[in-house]
Amino acid sequence: MATRHVAQAGRPLMNIVRMKGVPILQQLEIEECLLRTSSDNWCIINDGADKPNIVMGISGKPAELVEIKPVLEDNIPVIRRFTGGGTVIVDHGTIFVSFICNKDDVADVQPYPRPIMSWSSLLYTQVFQGIADFRLRENDFVFGLRKFGGNAQSITKNRWIHHTSFLWDYETRNMSYLKLPKRAPEYRLARDHLDFVCPMKDYISRSDFISRTIDAAGRLFSVESTEFEAVKSSSNVNFTPTSRLLTNQELEAASMIAI
Amino acid sequence: MLARSIFQKRSCWRSGNVYRLFGRRLPASTVEATEMKPTVVGHFSTAASTPIKSTFDCSYKLYNNKVHYLSTSVAAALERVDNIIDIPLAQTGEGIAECELLKWFVKVGDEVEKYQPLCEVQSDKATIEITSRYQGKVIQFLHVPGDIVKVGETLLSISVDASQVPSDVGKSSPTSHPTEPSKESSDLSKTQKGETLSTPAVRNLANQHGIDLNDVPGTGRHGRIQKEDVLNYATSIKNKPAMVNPSSDKPTLEPEPIVQHMTNESLYQDKTLPIRGYQRAMVKFMTSAATVPHFHYIEEINCDELWKLKVAFQKQNSDPDIKLTFLPVLIKSLSMALTSYPLLNSTFNLEKYEVNLKGSHNVGITMATPVGLVVPNIKNVQPLSIFEITKELARLQKLAHENKLTPEDIRGGTITLSNIGAIGGKSGSPLINVPEVAIIALGRTQKVTSFGDDGNVYPVSLMTANIAADHRILDGATVALFCNEWKKLIEKPELILLHTR
């Protein structure tokens, strides 16, 4: 394991898994399985989810975050994921990048939310250098004052995951499924979704973004490509994921409480 | 008044082993620490007068006594253990002032290793595992999942051996300095911005004696207040010279044993009870129930035949873990009546102006647990036998008692039954478990006189059923007809056999 872990120039090894159009629930299950059962470092990149899904944080309450009636009418899946954070609606225009690391392999980063968030922003600063006015504002990735990337984390005893959903593009009507959240970053200033977010496609292509992200990771880790199928098959063994799809009944019950 | 009725075992109530009472939640860990088996206790506020009201008052007093007893037991436990360490929610990041407790990975009584994960919390964007700095034994939880915990607030207490006590935890050794504290150390305890260094057990003890910890000089390291400090302080304020009896040179008041005595002042002190966990959920549900226009239909049901059936079942029962009561028969007969009147087994969606007739009869049973009122439901009663219902009921009660009900156990109820009569009271006014449209409260079975067909007076066992229904969906006639059907099945239980497939 030591040999595998530390490869070129003493940098720890990181497995890069590139996926395209994998359902977000499946991605979350794989990520949580890797976080809890693997001892390697991983970078999971999913270039677009298969169809629109609403994804809430671990303690998200549908009645407060989601317009339940249209969600039920239009059969939009609502998922509660295993990490904290807020609510997003993801679809084929969303690019997901997740880093799963041993804390000891990123020893200069304290295993707490803020230091990990800062670490990720430094990585993405390299990705967007010379391209856009990128910064980390509170907990969001923004161009100027408009959010294009949302972050969430889960920190365990020896490892952590930091995953980001990047809004490469979005459909306006999908935003109408989300409510204005009660807890919002200060810089949002009560803007509705369309005034608050911006698509990444105005700044960078999908392929450039993904390749630059892998390059940035390669400056910190010794990266090695791993096939999705290998990860997918190993993730089913003896693991019960926390992320799950909410049932229509739960959403209906939530809507009744909200009356 | 918003209230719910709760199932309860009468024998446990009589024995006085009352744990969970309406009011402040007792941590499950406290129950564990005293090695008593908490019983499922019911409490209900109803339109009935004195009996229920006195139960409430009685239950509150019992709570106070129980707290006293529990604290004594915990204190006794402390006498056997060298060190109790409070584990606070450590700072998890810049600017994070509080976290939501998501789940515990351990339970009270568990031995934990150093760096073993204890719980998971959520702060803003992150879920974080909190690990133990010490090897020891979990003594008490101070929070339940769903609670918002401030950074620095104690999450749980762990008992450790002396070798692990960190230097910053106060502990007085047998060779410590005299009990009279120096002015400097007492000043230290008072300068902690009103917060004194002490364990939860010591704070409980001080509370019982009506003592402000800020007035107690601590003799532990860094002014930490220990149990002996509280007891000594309590003794010292009681031993202040009393008025001398003119006929005697001796003071009229003698020192009293401290541990068993509660000061009068503590009985009249205000108490602030945080609403957490299941109680918080109850607040939410009751608030939504208040928007439903209820009407109540009351009927008396003759339980003589039901009683005979119960006795017959008990004679045939060979499983000591299964206790046969009226309730499974009532549940089964309820389900059979619902087959004829499915509107009572539905949910109402106001936004869509739709009634959803539920195919399964998922009958919820209200239960009081050490952490609050819960309503788990028995799924799909229709194909179940009475014995299967009995076993499932026992399973849910056991889980409720241990605070291990799963969301699946609680989700999906279609109608609720509340056996408030197990505690007492002739009848109750239950509130609907939204989004259901009906709930039934059963009063205590009472022996009363009744006229027979021959004009003679006979004793009968009568139980009052109060059906609360959503008047937007159900009208009086429908509920009355349903109740007639149900009553018929209870009073002639052989009909249950006749109609069972």
Side-chain angles (χ1 to χ4, degrees):
Chain A
M1 187 158 125
T3 305
R4 172 164 171 71
H5 240 87
V6 180
Q8 299 169 11
R11 282 173 289 168
L13 196 63
M14 175 168 276
N15 302 297
I16 306 281
V17 181
R18 290 186 66 164
M19 315 187 291
K20 189 173 177 64
V22 170
I24 182 60
L25 183 60
Q26 184 179 12
Q27 177 192 334
L28 289 167
E29 289 173 355
I30 290 170
E31 287 179 1
E32 189 182 4
C33 180
L34 292 174
L35 173 71
R36 300 198 193 284
T37 66
S38 168
S39 56
D40 293 342
N41 302 308
W42 299 86
C43 174
I44 311 291
I45 301 174
N46 188 11
D47 187 4
D50 60 335
K51 60 178 182 174
N53 275 247
I54 292 171
V55 186
M56 301 187 303
I58 191 166
S59 61
K61 297 174 180 56
E64 295 173 7
L65 300 167
V66 170
E67 299 287 356
I68 295 180
K69 182 183 169 187
V71 160
L72 286 171
E73 283 174 354
D74 298 344
N75 227 19
I76 306 293
V78 179
I79 293 167
R80 184 176 280 132
R81 65 177 183 266
F82 69 99
T83 53
T87 307
V88 291
I89 180 157
V90 302
D91 54 25
H92 63 274
T94 313
I95 303 175
F96 304 92
V97 181
S98 306
F99 288 99
I100 303 170
C101 297
N102 293 308
K103 67 175 187 183
D104 292 340
D105 288 339
V106 202
D108 56 339
V109 178
Q110 287 283 300
Y112 297 115
R114 200 72 217 159
I116 296 170
M117 193 77 72
S118 300
W119 172 86
S120 73
S121 76
L122 291 175
L123 187 147
Y124 287 109
T125 296
Q126 298 173 46
V127 174
F128 295 106
Q129 195 151 33
I131 293 176
D133 176 25
F134 165 83
R135 64 187 65 195
L136 172 68
R137 193 175 283 276
E138 295 185 44
N139 295 309
D140 299 332
F141 291 153
V142 299
F143 293 137
L145 280 174
R146 296 181 76 134
K147 175 179 176 179
F148 72 94
N151 296 293
Q153 300 162 337
S154 183
I155 303 167
T156 66
K157 183 176 156 188
N158 295 313
R159 291 163 66 73
W160 49 259
I161 179 171
H162 177 100
H163 58 195
T164 312
S165 57
F166 289 97
L167 209 56
W168 189 79
D169 193 9
Y170 60 83
E171 293 192 38
T172 305
R173 65 187 177 97
N174 283 348
M175 293 297 166
S176 63
Y177 292 118
L178 302 182
K179 288 186 175 177
L180 204 64
K182 282 183 188 173
R183 288 187 68 181
E186 288 182 16
Y187 79 97
R188 181 165 182 152
L189 302 170
R191 288 177 281 168
D192 70 17
H193 291 293
L194 296 178
D195 290 332
F196 177 54
V197 298
C198 73
M200 222 161 68
K201 68 174 184 179
D202 296 343
Y203 299 89
I204 191 170
S205 70
R206 295 175 92 122
S207 56
D208 277 352
F209 169 69
I210 291 172
S211 62
R212 288 172 75 105
T213 299
I214 295 173
D215 288 345
R219 294 188 194 104
L220 300 173
F221 299 90
S222 176
V223 296
E224 198 171 280
S225 187
T226 302
E227 290 297 318
F228 167 59
E229 290 303 322
V231 172
K232 181 180 158 190
S233 57
S234 65
S235 70
N236 291 329
V237 179
N238 295 328
F239 177 74
T240 304
T242 309
S243 304
R244 66 176 189 89
L245 187 65
L246 300 188
T247 63
N248 279 356
Q249 204 168 17
E250 286 173 297
L251 294 174
E252 283 168 7
S255 70
M256 295 306 295
I257 292 170
I259 286 173
Chain B
M1 185 185 343
L2 300 176
R4 298 294 296 278
S5 58
I6 303 158
F7 176 79
Q8 179 258 340
K9 295 177 183 178
R10 185 188 291 276
S11 60
C12 297
W13 176 261
R14 283 208 197 105
S15 70
N17 286 338
V18 173
Y19 258 85
R20 178 68 181 95
L21 302 166
F22 204 73
R24 181 171 178 272
R25 172 185 61 82
L26 291 174
S29 57
T30 307
V31 171
E32 295 284 350
T34 59
E35 297 180 352
M36 291 182 68
K37 295 181 180 177
T39 56
V40 176
V41 175
H43 171 76
F44 185 72
S45 297
T46 73
S49 56
T50 309
I52 298 301
K53 185 173 187 304
S54 64
T55 300
F56 177 88
D57 290 336
C58 176
S59 62
Y60 188 73
K61 286 177 187 168
L62 280 168
Y63 162 73
N64 278 324
N65 288 338
K66 184 55 69 179
V67 168
H68 173 73
Y69 171 82
L70 287 169
S71 295
T72 304
S73 295
V74 170
L78 286 175
E79 287 173 0
R80 298 189 292 273
V81 177
D82 289 338
N83 298 285
I84 304 285
I85 295 182
D86 294 341
I87 309 296
L89 175 63
Q91 180 59 260
T92 53
E94 178 190 320
I96 294 173
E98 59 189 22
C99 294
E100 178 186 352
L101 176 62
L102 295 174
K103 60 183 169 188
W104 289 107
F105 295 130
V106 296
K107 52 185 190 302
V108 171
D110 279 357
E111 299 285 343
V112 296
E113 297 295 320
K114 202 173 179 181
Y115 306 127
Q116 179 177 337
L118 296 172
C119 63
E120 188 175 54
V121 301
Q122 180 185 214
S123 74
D124 209 6
K125 296 288 182 180
T127 63
I128 306 166
E129 279 184 7
I130 304 296
T131 55
S132 176
R133 284 178 59 196
Y134 308 101
Q135 178 185 21
K137 185 175 179 180
V138 178
I139 293 296
Q140 183 183 24
F141 290 149
L142 276 82
H143 291 280
V144 292
D147 284 357
I148 303 297
V149 184
K150 295 193 186 315
V151 169
E153 205 176 333
T154 302
L155 278 170
L156 74 162
S157 299
I158 292 180
S159 69
V160 301
D161 59 45
S163 62
Q164 291 189 78
V165 175
S167 59
D168 61 348
V169 173
K171 180 184 182 299
S172 84
S173 67
T175 57
S176 63
H177 294 292
T179 53
E180 280 298 316
S182 68
K183 184 175 185 305
E184 188 179 306
S185 62
S186 66
D187 284 347
L188 176 65
S189 58
K190 289 187 181 179
T191 58
Q192 299 289 333
K193 293 184 184 176
E195 295 175 12
T196 50
L197 301 175
S198 58
T199 67
V202 170
R203 289 195 285 274
N204 269 339
L205 187 62
N207 200 37
Q208 288 171 45
H209 294 290
I211 292 171
D212 183 350
L213 277 177
N214 288 318
D215 296 330
V216 178
T219 59
R221 183 114 18 126
H222 295 157
R224 189 178 185 90
I225 299 173
Q226 301 178 96
K227 186 184 74 163
E228 293 76 20
D229 300 328
V230 173
L231 296 176
N232 290 337
Y233 182 77
T235 304
S236 69
I237 60 176
K238 287 187 185 312
N239 283 342
K240 282 181 184 170
M243 285 198 50
V244 176
N245 190 317
S247 63
S248 166
D249 291 334
K250 294 179 183 175
T252 54
L253 291 179
E254 296 291 335
E256 293 179 23
I258 301 299
V259 173
Q260 289 80 26
H261 181 73
M262 290 174 68
T263 61
N264 288 334
E265 289 79 14
S266 67
L267 292 174
Y268 303 105
Q269 282 180 350
D270 290 347
K271 292 180 177 63
T272 299
L273 308 177
I275 304 292
R276 293 182 175 140
Y278 283 137
Q279 264 200 301
R280 182 176 267 179
M282 189 167 75
V283 169
K284 192 186 294 185
F285 275 108
M286 295 307 168
T287 305
S288 65
T291 66
V292 176
H294 287 63
F295 81 92
H296 294 270
Y297 179 88
I298 298 172
E299 175 64 287
E300 286 181 332
I301 301 174
N302 186 329
C303 293
D304 285 342
E305 295 304 313
L306 194 62
W307 182 266
K308 290 177 191 169
L309 191 66
K310 175 188 162 185
V311 171
F313 283 165
Q314 284 174 337
K315 283 180 182 170
Q316 297 300 318
N317 179 35
S318 57
D319 189 339
D321 294 331
I322 301 291
K323 190 176 174 185
L324 292 164
T325 64
F326 286 165
L327 203 52
V329 179
L330 294 171
I331 293 169
K332 183 64 182 176
S333 54
L334 175 72
S335 170
M336 294 179 75
L338 287 174
T339 303
S340 303
Y341 297 93
L343 200 54
L344 277 92
N345 193 66
S346 63
T347 59
F348 175 51
N349 186 324
L350 178 63
E351 281 186 13
K352 290 187 180 180
Y353 265 76
E354 280 179 2
V355 174
N356 187 1
L357 299 176
K358 296 296 184 181
S360 290
H361 299 167
N362 299 340
V363 180
I365 305 294
T366 55
M367 298 181 186
T369 74
V371 292
L373 169 70
V374 291
V375 189
N377 58 85
I378 300 174
K379 300 278 192 294
N380 203 24
V381 170
Q382 295 105 306
L384 297 180
S385 67
I386 292 173
F387 188 63
E388 286 167 335
I389 293 170
T390 305
K391 287 200 295 185
E392 176 63 4
L393 188 60
R395 184 188 76 84
L396 292 173
Q397 285 171 331
K398 184 172 185 295
L399 290 177
H401 165 86
E402 295 169 354
N403 194 22
K404 288 181 179 173
L405 287 169
T406 66
E408 184 54 30
D409 292 325
I410 298 172
R411 224 174 1 236
T414 59
I415 189 167
T416 300
L417 193 59
S418 167
N419 189 15
I420 183 57
I423 303 172
K426 195 172 179 181
S427 73
S429 288
L431 296 182
I432 288 169
N433 189 8
V434 176
E436 298 167 14
V437 297
I439 181 172
I440 305 167
L442 302 171
R444 189 175 70 239
T445 307
Q446 294 177 303
K447 206 79 164 178
V448 299
T449 52
S450 175
F451 286 101
D453 292 336
D454 56 5
N456 291 330
V457 174
Y458 295 97
V460 293
S461 295
L462 283 187
M463 174 180 68
T464 304
N466 184 331
I467 305 175
D470 186 337
H471 214 336
R472 297 171 297 182
I473 307 305
L474 294 164
D475 56 41
T478 304
V479 173
L481 289 169
F482 159 78
C483 189
N484 288 347
E485 178 79 13
W486 187 37
K487 175 181 158 95
K488 191 168 63 178
L489 291 168
I490 296 170
E491 292 181 345
K492 296 179 180 174
E494 62 273 19
L495 293 175
I496 298 175
L497 186 62
L498 187 65
H499 295 291
T500 299
R501 294 197 180 124

